[in-house]
Amino acid sequence: MTIDELKRYNGQNGARAYIAYKSVVYDVTNSPFWKNGDHVGEHTAGVDLTSALSNAPHGDEVFKEFAVVGKLEGSEQISLVTQTPKTQEHQNDSHELFKSKLKTWYKKYHPHPAAVHFPIALHLFAAGMDILFLITLNEAYNAGVFYSFFIATVMGLVAMVPGILSWWINYNFSMQRAFVVKLIVASITLLLGVVAIYIYYENPHVAYEHSFQGILYHAIVLVTGLNVIILGYYGGKITWGYGRYQTLTEDSKKVLNITKHESAVSHHSASQSISILIGGAAGTGIATLEKILSGAFKKNGFYIFSTKEYMSRVRGGSNTTLIRISDAPIEAPCWKVDICIALDSLALEHMQERWHENTIVFADEAFSEKKTNMILVAMKDSAKKFGNAKYANTYIAGVLFGALRLDKSSLLENIAEHFKDDDVNRDVAESGYEEGMKLENITLPKLPKSDLEGVKKLHLMDGTTASGFGFLAGGCNMVTAYPMSPSTGVLNFMADMSKHLSIAVEQSEDEIASLNMVLGGWYSGARAMTTTSGGGFALMGEALSLSGMTETPAVIYLAQRPGPATGLPTRSEQGDLNMALYSGHGSFPRIVLAPGSLRECIDYGYLAFEMADKYQSPVIILSDQYLADSISMIEKVEFSSYEQRSYIVQSTEGYVRYEDTKNGISPRTVPGFGKGLICAVGDEHDERGQITEDYKMREKMVAKRARKNDELTAEAIAPEISGDGDIAIIGWGSTRGAICESLEYLNNPRLSHVHFAWVHPLGKEQLKSLERFKYRIVVENNADGAFANQLKLYDVKIDNQILQSNGFSFFVDQLSIMIEKSVKELS
Amino acid sequence: MSSLFDKENVDIAWCPGCGNFGILKLIREVLEELEVDKKTCVIVSGIGQAAKTPYYIDVNMFGVLHGRALPVATAVKLGNPNLCVVAEGGDGDMYGEGGNHFIHTIRRNVDIVHIVHNNMVYGLTKGQASPTSQKGFVTKVQVGGVVNEPFNPLAVALSLKAGFVSRVNIGDPLHAKEVLKAAFRHHGYALVDILQPCPTFNSTNTHHWFKENSYVLDDTYESSDFHGALQKAFEFSPMPLGIIYQDKSIRDIFERSIRGEDAKPLHAMTHDVSKIQDLFNRY
């Protein structure tokens, strides 16, 4: 049975109800829990529920009761889910194994929900009886109150233990509001319970007395009744989720403290790394080679970073991919390389300037002569023996692994994963490996120390993918965009994700339509975004302004490339900051974020949607070709920690869209949700949304929009500062990894790294930490020093600037020299 | 006479004798007679005198940029397919500034009603030629008269296989109402081009001129015949009025194709976090 066939068995209109779990299809038609194909209002029949089960209050034991009716075809992806590296990891980790065993046990018996109803019922019973007692003063009630209260308190303790267990195994001691409230209220209830029992034990007649003890006793009995209602309410919220109808409460005004996450790349240095540069024409498979090698290196326990530079063409030219392997996390490229692999003569020439005196070069004997440090391999000829010169890339991967004496199976496994039905590639790689083993009398760089355990816990992905996951965490469910390098990756990613999640994706006719569609989407309740690069964003200026005036949220992923005009379409630059800050006519609040690591891509992708929704303003996420296309490693991310809040309120009759509130944020609703009507307009308007030219109203609305800016400036995230030195090396966005590693390399205690991921708006509060520095040097991947100029506007003194706008991002070795020189100029 | 869709305390910004008054009345009456629920109806309009119409109707509205009503309306419908969505504006707004969106909205076949006030002149910018101005029409900018071929919205819509293409004259409100109602009932994109006079800036195409230069298609006209319709769309003096073309067969509708048949409003949905976690863990 295929997934499409399965869809027909949805249990509706007399159809049978089938569901799939781990590739097996079960018939649930007769189950009372699956009437008409509906399961507790959460799931429908006719679908694969493998991934949904982890969230269910029961385990997979429930499937035992159902008849198996077939196997689900084409479910490789699903079987992958069940064999994620996560489970493999856990087997090596006794702590995690214990936890996962506990989890299974918990799912089977769910002790907390089983126990928790007793104290709830009994506390309520006691409170009810006490009210009756207070009315009637009947001793039978009084005794009933005490005994039920006593048992309720004991059972409360019994329920708390599995509750805390569940908090640990299922929610990793999450500090979300519901858990904190439950913990506090439950502890208070228990404490009060002990106090009341003690009072009664000391004097059983206390219930009749008007003394302090008497009043306290009754108060406790009644208050604990209220407490258990609160406990039950939050228990329900934890089990069934918050839903999107949550209104804006004081608590949800706080931004999630996303700075608490540590990036995989922190300031601890790599003592040994090797850099490998592979060059070839577009279409010769260097992208494939990058994937296969990085995956195989990861299996060998190395930390990986890889990046590519390519020409704006589909075939031909000369492109390179750089792979760095290391014994500690790294997130930056280097210019000079240790190993160089040329797939053709053009590449050989193109890469020459990146060799240092000991670089080992692999080239094909067909186009190169033997030189010192050069290893000639018959790549093409050997590949042709297998039927096609195209196999040259796989062949050289084998040679490299052989020469480095690395584990062959890891490479073959990755090749098998990559070329699913093509066994020839495997044979080619094996043959290359044998050839590599034969290479002697060459001094290849020393391999970094392998850290199998550490690396296994990490995920390998590029900035595009991480950004995409950030937007998913932020609840993005509509993407309207026009393709443009280097932003297209996110559009592709979200379209691919729409196969698994409910995301409406549309390729617009132009970028003008893209952002206008985003606004239409938010108007009717979507969390919409667009993806673009500089040229496309230039076309969005007017709609950006409309977002500001109509106070309609918008999220724009702007992946920069060098301009002006078409510029260098496939290369990198941080050249669009000014445009992000100033595009759009008129003045209105906006937020500009610039993540600099995979972790920040996720955090700030999430934050973009929260901020847009909360402040009803446009949010621009600045990425660039370098960040989008570079692959590095990220620790496991717990997506349950990104709370998707809804800022949409249910409207009442007489609702006005632009209510003049204290903080400038007017409650936002969507058509059909409540009794009100929404008039959102791009003309200046009154509170109703009616066009006005009254100057007093204009002043009022200008002030209202400005107040939103004050409010969100207060929430701005201060820069991340590493080091205690008195010289600040200041960067923003994608320069994070390169500056970080350069400072490690320079090892000068006077240098500190200041990294801004929240770029705009900033306030005095966020910039206070810059006051302590004697010198401030700003590093930017552009020619105009736009960020330094921003800092100057905030009265931050800038002593020196390091700028680069040649189409490359910063290389660690070059940047180190630039920083050293810049520091020397100052002191 | 007051109706359910009248809006209180509004200052109407049109010149006396403007054709927009008739269109405003027409839309209010159609919404009321079709028993449209105002809470789930959204009118998206661009910029121009025509685009001010929804400000005077008691309904949800989104007043956007010049030329951009269609992409906004498209996404409003995509976000919540249960809404009744109308895009409204003038000839300059929809056929000039928003020309590209006009083409692609038809291609998408979004289930919206597209109302275009066509007075063959720019009103709000004071009297320049519009895409539908006739050749020889003299203005402050086109001082020697318009030389460009007038834009033919019906023929363009037909060539893109629009499922509902119509033209009415606001000088004949009863006929206009009948056609507009049919447009609301149509499943898929429906174009209603409404001829209207501009007494201030267009002294050529007056009430009288429209009456003299148009005729209502009678019952014998077969609106389901595509090739016949294409021919009708090119008739100019006199211009045919009525439903030029309607395809009543079931066609793919944009928002249904993307969101599925019984799509819930997106504001009522959240992603399954465990699914995102699973997808992430695959990397």
Coordinates of all heavy atoms in Angstrom, one line a residue, chain A residues 521-582:
Chain A
G521 N -1.3 37.2 3.7 CA -1.3 36.0 4.6 C -1.5 36.3 6.0 O -2.3 35.7 6.7
W522 N -0.7 37.2 6.5 CA -0.8 37.6 8.0 C -2.1 38.2 8.3 O -2.7 37.9 9.3 CB 0.3 38.6 8.3 CG 1.7 38.0 8.6 CD1 2.7 37.9 7.7 CD2 2.2 37.5 9.8 NE1 3.8 37.4 8.3 CE2 3.5 37.1 9.6 CE3 1.7 37.3 11.1 CZ2 4.3 36.6 10.6 CZ3 2.5 36.8 12.1 CH2 3.8 36.4 11.8
Y523 N -2.7 39.0 7.3 CA -4.0 39.6 7.5 C -5.0 38.5 7.8 O -5.9 38.7 8.7 CB -4.4 40.4 6.3 CG -5.8 41.0 6.4 CD1 -5.9 42.3 6.9 CD2 -6.9 40.4 5.9 CE1 -7.2 42.9 7.1 CE2 -8.2 41.0 6.0 CZ -8.3 42.2 6.6 OH -9.5 42.8 6.7
S524 N -5.0 37.4 7.1 CA -6.0 36.4 7.4 C -5.5 35.3 8.4 O -6.2 34.3 8.6 CB -6.5 35.7 6.0 OG -5.5 34.9 5.5
G525 N -4.4 35.5 9.0 CA -4.0 34.7 10.1 C -2.8 33.7 9.9 O -2.5 33.0 10.8
A526 N -2.2 33.8 8.7 CA -1.0 32.9 8.5 C 0.2 33.5 9.2 O 0.2 34.7 9.6 CB -0.7 32.8 7.0
R527 N 1.2 32.7 9.4 CA 2.6 33.2 9.7 C 3.4 33.1 8.5 O 4.0 32.1 8.2 CB 3.1 32.4 10.9 CG 2.6 32.8 12.2 CD 3.4 32.3 13.4 NE 3.2 33.1 14.6 CZ 4.0 33.1 15.7 NH1 5.0 32.4 15.7 NH2 3.7 33.8 16.7
A528 N 3.5 34.2 7.7 CA 4.0 34.2 6.4 C 5.4 34.8 6.3 O 5.7 35.7 7.1 CB 3.0 34.8 5.4
M529 N 6.1 34.4 5.3 CA 7.5 34.9 5.1 C 7.8 34.9 3.6 O 7.1 34.2 2.8 CB 8.5 34.2 5.8 CG 8.8 32.8 5.2 SD 10.2 32.0 6.0 CE 11.6 33.0 5.6
T530 N 8.8 35.7 3.2 CA 9.3 35.6 1.9 C 10.8 35.5 2.0 O 11.4 35.8 3.0 CB 8.9 36.8 1.0 OG1 9.4 36.6 -0.3 CG2 9.5 38.1 1.5
T531 N 11.4 35.0 0.9 CA 12.9 34.8 0.8 C 13.3 35.6 -0.4 O 12.7 35.5 -1.4 CB 13.3 33.3 0.7 OG1 12.8 32.9 -0.6 CG2 12.7 32.5 1.7
T532 N 14.5 36.3 -0.3 CA 14.9 37.1 -1.4 C 16.4 37.4 -1.2 O 17.0 37.2 -0.1 CB 14.1 38.3 -1.6 OG1 14.4 38.9 -2.9 CG2 14.3 39.3 -0.5
S533 N 17.0 38.1 -2.2 CA 18.3 38.7 -2.1 C 18.2 40.2 -2.4 O 17.1 40.7 -2.6 CB 19.3 38.0 -3.0 OG 20.6 38.4 -2.7
G534 N 19.3 40.9 -2.4 CA 19.3 42.3 -2.5 C 18.4 42.9 -3.6 O 17.5 43.8 -3.3
G535 N 18.5 42.4 -4.8 CA 17.7 43.0 -5.9 C 16.3 42.8 -5.7 O 15.5 43.7 -6.0
G536 N 15.9 41.6 -5.2 CA 14.5 41.4 -5.0 C 13.9 42.2 -3.8 O 12.8 42.7 -3.9
F537 N 14.8 42.4 -2.8 CA 14.4 43.1 -1.7 C 14.1 44.6 -2.0 O 13.3 45.3 -1.5 CB 15.4 43.0 -0.5 CG 15.0 43.7 0.7 CD1 13.9 43.3 1.5 CD2 15.6 44.9 1.2 CE1 13.5 43.9 2.6 CE2 15.2 45.5 2.3 CZ 14.2 45.1 3.0
A538 N 15.0 45.1 -3.0 CA 14.8 46.4 -3.5 C 13.4 46.7 -4.0 O 12.8 47.7 -3.9 CB 15.8 46.8 -4.6
L539 N 12.8 45.6 -4.6 CA 11.5 45.7 -5.2 C 10.4 45.7 -4.1 O 9.2 45.9 -4.3 CB 11.2 44.6 -6.2 CG 12.0 44.6 -7.5 CD1 11.7 43.4 -8.3 CD2 11.6 45.9 -8.2
M540 N 10.8 45.3 -2.9 CA 9.8 45.1 -1.8 C 9.6 46.4 -1.0 O 8.8 46.4 0.0 CB 10.2 44.0 -0.9 CG 10.3 42.6 -1.6 SD 10.8 41.4 -0.4 CE 10.8 39.9 -1.5
G541 N 10.4 47.4 -1.3 CA 10.4 48.6 -0.4 C 9.0 49.1 -0.1 O 8.7 49.4 1.1
E542 N 8.2 49.2 -1.1 CA 6.9 49.8 -0.9 C 6.0 49.0 0.0 O 5.3 49.5 0.9 CB 6.2 50.1 -2.2 CG 5.0 51.0 -2.1 CD 4.2 51.2 -3.4 OE1 4.4 50.3 -4.3 OE2 3.4 52.1 -3.6
A543 N 6.1 47.7 -0.2 CA 5.3 46.8 0.6 C 5.8 46.7 2.0 O 5.0 46.5 3.0 CB 5.2 45.4 0.0
L544 N 7.1 46.9 2.2 CA 7.7 47.0 3.6 C 7.0 48.1 4.3 O 6.7 48.0 5.5 CB 9.2 47.2 3.5 CG 10.0 47.0 4.8 CD1 10.1 45.5 5.1 CD2 11.3 47.6 4.6
S545 N 6.9 49.3 3.6 CA 6.3 50.4 4.2 C 4.9 50.2 4.5 O 4.4 50.7 5.5 CB 6.5 51.6 3.1 OG 6.0 52.8 3.6
L546 N 4.2 49.4 3.6 CA 2.8 49.1 3.9 C 2.7 48.3 5.2 O 1.7 48.4 5.9 CB 2.2 48.3 2.7 CG 0.7 47.9 2.8 CD1 -0.2 49.2 2.8 CD2 0.3 47.0 1.7
S547 N 3.6 47.4 5.4 CA 3.6 46.6 6.6 C 3.7 47.5 7.8 O 3.0 47.3 8.8 CB 4.8 45.6 6.6 OG 5.1 45.1 7.8
G548 N 4.6 48.5 7.7 CA 4.7 49.5 8.8 C 3.5 50.2 9.1 O 3.0 50.4 10.2
M549 N 2.8 50.8 8.0 CA 1.7 51.6 8.2 C 0.4 50.8 8.6 O -0.3 51.2 9.5 CB 1.4 52.3 6.8 CG 0.2 53.3 6.9 SD 0.4 54.5 8.3 CE 0.0 56.0 7.5
T550 N 0.2 49.7 8.0 CA -1.0 48.9 8.3 C -0.8 48.1 9.6 O -1.7 47.4 10.1 CB -1.4 48.0 7.2 OG1 -0.3 47.0 6.9 CG2 -1.7 48.7 5.9
E551 N 0.5 48.1 10.1 CA 0.9 47.3 11.3 C 0.5 45.8 11.0 O 0.0 45.1 11.9 CB 0.2 47.8 12.5 CG 0.5 49.3 12.7 CD 0.3 49.9 14.1 OE1 0.4 49.1 15.0 OE2 -0.1 51.1 14.2
T552 N 0.9 45.3 9.8 CA 0.7 43.9 9.5 C 2.1 43.3 9.6 O 3.1 43.8 9.0 CB 0.2 43.8 8.1 OG1 -0.9 44.6 7.9 CG2 -0.1 42.3 7.7
P553 N 2.2 42.2 10.4 CA 3.6 41.6 10.5 C 4.1 41.1 9.2 O 3.3 40.8 8.3 CB 3.3 40.4 11.5 CG 2.0 40.7 12.1 CD 1.2 41.5 11.1
A554 N 5.4 41.0 9.1 CA 6.0 40.4 7.9 C 7.4 39.9 8.3 O 8.1 40.4 9.1 CB 6.2 41.4 6.8
V555 N 7.8 38.7 7.7 CA 9.1 38.2 7.9 C 9.8 38.1 6.5 O 9.3 37.5 5.6 CB 9.1 36.9 8.6 CG1 10.6 36.3 8.7 CG2 8.6 37.0 10.0
I556 N 11.0 38.7 6.4 CA 11.7 38.7 5.2 C 13.1 38.1 5.4 O 13.9 38.6 6.2 CB 11.9 40.1 4.6 CG1 10.5 40.7 4.4 CG2 12.7 40.1 3.3 CD1 10.5 42.2 4.6
Y557 N 13.4 37.0 4.7 CA 14.7 36.4 4.8 C 15.5 36.9 3.6 O 15.2 36.7 2.5 CB 14.6 34.8 4.7 CG 15.9 34.1 4.5 CD1 16.7 33.9 5.5 CD2 16.2 33.6 3.2 CE1 17.9 33.2 5.4 CE2 17.4 32.9 3.0 CZ 18.2 32.7 4.1 OH 19.4 32.0 3.9
L558 N 16.5 37.8 4.0 CA 17.3 38.5 2.9 C 18.7 37.9 2.9 O 19.5 38.2 3.8 CB 17.3 40.0 3.2 CG 18.2 40.9 2.5 CD1 18.1 40.7 1.0 CD2 17.9 42.3 2.8
A559 N 19.0 37.0 2.0 CA 20.3 36.4 1.9 C 21.1 37.3 0.9 O 20.8 37.4 -0.3 CB 20.2 35.0 1.3
Q560 N 22.1 38.0 1.5 CA 22.9 39.0 0.7 C 23.9 38.4 -0.3 O 24.4 37.3 0.0 CB 23.6 39.9 1.7 CG 22.7 40.6 2.7 CD 23.5 41.1 3.9 OE1 23.8 42.3 3.9 NE2 23.9 40.2 4.8
R561 N 24.1 39.1 -1.3 CA 25.2 38.8 -2.3 C 25.7 40.1 -2.7 O 25.0 41.2 -2.6 CB 24.6 38.0 -3.4 CG 23.6 38.8 -4.3 CD 22.9 37.8 -5.3 NE 22.6 38.5 -6.6 CZ 21.9 38.0 -7.5 NH1 21.3 36.8 -7.3 NH2 21.7 38.6 -8.6
P562 N 26.9 40.2 -3.3 CA 27.5 41.5 -3.6 C 26.8 42.2 -4.7 O 26.5 41.6 -5.7 CB 28.9 41.1 -4.0 CG 29.2 39.8 -3.5 CD 27.9 39.1 -3.5
G563 N 26.5 43.5 -4.5 CA 25.9 44.3 -5.6 C 26.9 45.3 -6.0 O 28.1 45.0 -5.8
P564 N 26.6 46.4 -6.6 CA 25.3 46.8 -7.0 C 24.7 46.0 -8.2 O 25.4 45.2 -8.8 CB 25.4 48.3 -7.4 CG 26.9 48.7 -7.2 CD 27.6 47.4 -7.0
A565 N 23.4 46.2 -8.4 CA 22.7 45.5 -9.5 C 22.9 44.0 -9.4 O 22.9 43.5 -8.3 CB 23.1 46.1 -10.9
T566 N 23.2 43.4 -10.5 CA 23.4 41.9 -10.4 C 24.7 41.5 -9.7 O 24.7 40.5 -9.1 CB 23.4 41.3 -11.8 OG1 22.3 41.9 -12.5 CG2 23.2 39.8 -11.8
G567 N 25.7 42.4 -9.7 CA 26.9 42.2 -8.9 C 27.5 40.8 -9.1 O 27.8 40.5 -10.3
L568 N 27.8 40.1 -8.0 CA 28.4 38.8 -8.1 C 27.3 37.8 -7.6 O 27.2 37.6 -6.4 CB 29.6 38.7 -7.2 CG 30.8 39.6 -7.7 CD1 31.9 39.6 -6.6 CD2 31.5 39.0 -9.0
P569 N 26.5 37.3 -8.4 CA 25.3 36.6 -8.0 C 25.5 35.4 -7.1 O 24.6 35.1 -6.3 CB 24.6 36.2 -9.3 CG 25.3 36.9 -10.4 CD 26.6 37.3 -9.9
T570 N 26.6 34.7 -7.2 CA 26.8 33.5 -6.4 C 27.8 33.7 -5.3 O 28.3 32.7 -4.7 CB 27.3 32.4 -7.3 OG1 28.5 32.8 -7.9 CG2 26.3 32.0 -8.4
R571 N 28.2 35.0 -5.0 CA 29.2 35.2 -4.0 C 28.7 35.9 -2.8 O 27.5 36.2 -2.7 CB 30.4 35.8 -4.6 CG 31.0 34.9 -5.7 CD 32.2 35.4 -6.4 NE 32.5 34.5 -7.5 CZ 33.2 33.4 -7.4 NH1 33.7 33.1 -6.2 NH2 33.4 32.6 -8.4
S572 N 29.6 36.2 -1.9 CA 29.1 36.7 -0.6 C 29.5 38.1 -0.2 O 30.6 38.5 -0.6 CB 29.5 35.7 0.5 OG 28.7 35.8 1.6
E573 N 28.6 38.8 0.5 CA 28.9 40.1 1.1 C 27.9 40.5 2.1 O 26.7 40.0 2.0 CB 29.0 41.1 -0.1 CG 29.5 42.5 0.4 CD 29.9 43.4 -0.8 OE1 30.8 43.0 -1.6 OE2 29.3 44.4 -0.9
Q574 N 28.3 41.3 3.1 CA 27.3 41.9 4.0 C 26.9 43.3 3.6 O 27.1 44.2 4.3 CB 27.9 41.9 5.4 CG 28.1 40.5 6.0 CD 28.7 40.6 7.4 OE1 29.7 41.2 7.6 NE2 28.0 40.0 8.4
G575 N 26.5 43.4 2.3 CA 26.4 44.7 1.7 C 25.0 45.4 1.8 O 24.9 46.5 1.3
D576 N 24.0 44.7 2.3 CA 22.7 45.2 2.3 C 22.1 45.7 3.6 O 20.9 45.9 3.7 CB 21.7 44.2 1.7 CG 22.1 43.8 0.2 OD1 22.7 44.7 -0.4 OD2 21.8 42.7 -0.3
L577 N 23.0 46.0 4.5 CA 22.5 46.4 5.9 C 21.8 47.7 5.8 O 20.7 47.9 6.3 CB 23.7 46.5 6.9 CG 23.3 47.0 8.3 CD1 22.2 46.1 8.9 CD2 24.5 47.1 9.2
N578 N 22.4 48.7 5.0 CA 21.7 50.0 4.9 C 20.4 49.9 4.3 O 19.4 50.5 4.7 CB 22.6 51.0 4.1 CG 23.6 51.6 5.0 OD1 23.4 51.7 6.2 ND2 24.8 52.0 4.4
M579 N 20.3 49.0 3.3 CA 19.0 48.8 2.6 C 18.0 48.2 3.6 O 16.8 48.6 3.6 CB 19.1 48.0 1.3 CG 17.8 47.9 0.6 SD 17.9 47.2 -1.0 CE 18.6 45.6 -0.7
A580 N 18.4 47.2 4.3 CA 17.5 46.6 5.3 C 17.0 47.6 6.3 O 15.9 47.6 6.8 CB 18.2 45.5 6.0
L581 N 17.9 48.5 6.7 CA 17.6 49.5 7.7 C 16.7 50.7 7.2 O 15.9 51.2 7.9 CB 18.9 50.1 8.3 CG 19.7 49.2 9.2 CD1 21.1 49.9 9.5 CD2 19.0 48.9 10.5
Y582 N 17.0 51.0 6.0 CA 16.3 52.3 5.5 C 15.3 52.1 4.4 O 14.7 53.1 4.0 CB 17.4 53.3 5.0 CG 18.3 53.7 6.2 CD1 19.6 53.3 6.2 CD2 17.8 54.4 7.3 CE1 20.5 53.7 7.2 CE2 18.6 54.7 8.3 CZ 20.0 54.4 8.3 OH 20.8 54.7 9.3

